[in-house]
């Protein structure tokens, strides 16, 4: 099981992701988030996904981004979906588990 903590910044809606896969093809996600939009998305889409459909699409073309495009209140720079995908792909051995960050420099 892989776990990722996503701190999206100023909104303060920290999201915790757990991804678990027995076969590297089907991945189950457990999401805890202070963001109502993220929680609603996961409730509507479910918790089990085909890892290839989730992780190996062009940027912005998986089911999470498609849902967000239609239903999120707007916030193009939100890193939560990318963090969910990173966790799933690391669990399914589709990418190495490495930290990601944005750093503002003066």
């Amino acid at each position: 099981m892989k776990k990722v903590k996503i701190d999206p910044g100023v909104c303060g809606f920290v999201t915790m992701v757990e991804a678990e896969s027995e076969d590297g093809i089907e991945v189950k996600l457990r999401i805890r988030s202070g963001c109502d939009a993220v929680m609603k998305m996961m409730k509507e889409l479910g918790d089990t996904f085909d890892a290839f459909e989730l992780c190996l699409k062009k940027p912005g073309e998986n089911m999470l981004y498609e849902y967000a495009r239609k239903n999120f209140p707007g916030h193009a720079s939100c890193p939560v979906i990318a963090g969910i995908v990173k966790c799933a792909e690391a669990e399914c051995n589709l990418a190495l588990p490495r930290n990601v960050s944005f750093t503002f420099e003066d």
Side-chain angles (χ1 to χ4, degrees):
M1 177 181 356
K2 296 291 187 278
K3 297 179 182 181
V4 169
K5 177 182 179 182
I6 305 163
D7 182 345
V10 72
C11 72
F13 295 137
V14 173
T15 299
M16 299 298 298
V17 181
E18 292 181 2
E20 191 165 12
S21 178
E22 292 182 16
D23 60 7
I25 297 172
E26 185 176 86
V27 62
K28 183 171 184 166
L29 300 173
R30 283 182 289 286
I31 310 290
R32 289 179 290 134
S33 180
C35 178
D36 291 338
V38 170
M39 294 307 296
K40 182 178 179 191
M41 174 179 70
M42 298 312 297
K43 182 178 181 181
E44 291 187 20
L45 294 180
D47 64 358
T48 304
F49 300 89
D50 178 301
F52 295 93
E53 291 295 314
L54 179 64
C55 302
L56 298 180
K57 294 283 193 167
K58 290 182 181 179
E61 291 189 1
N62 70 28
M63 66 287 293
L64 302 181
Y65 284 107
E66 288 173 2
Y67 179 93
R69 206 170 14 258
K70 295 175 187 170
N71 298 288
F72 274 26
H75 184 38
S77 66
C78 177
V80 173
I81 294 175
I84 293 169
V85 174
K86 291 296 286 182
C87 188
E89 69 182 6
E91 173 63 15
C92 294
N93 297 308
L94 299 173
L96 294 172
R98 296 291 184 264
N99 292 334
V100 178
S101 67
F102 297 102
T103 305
F104 287 96
E105 297 182 359
D106 292 333

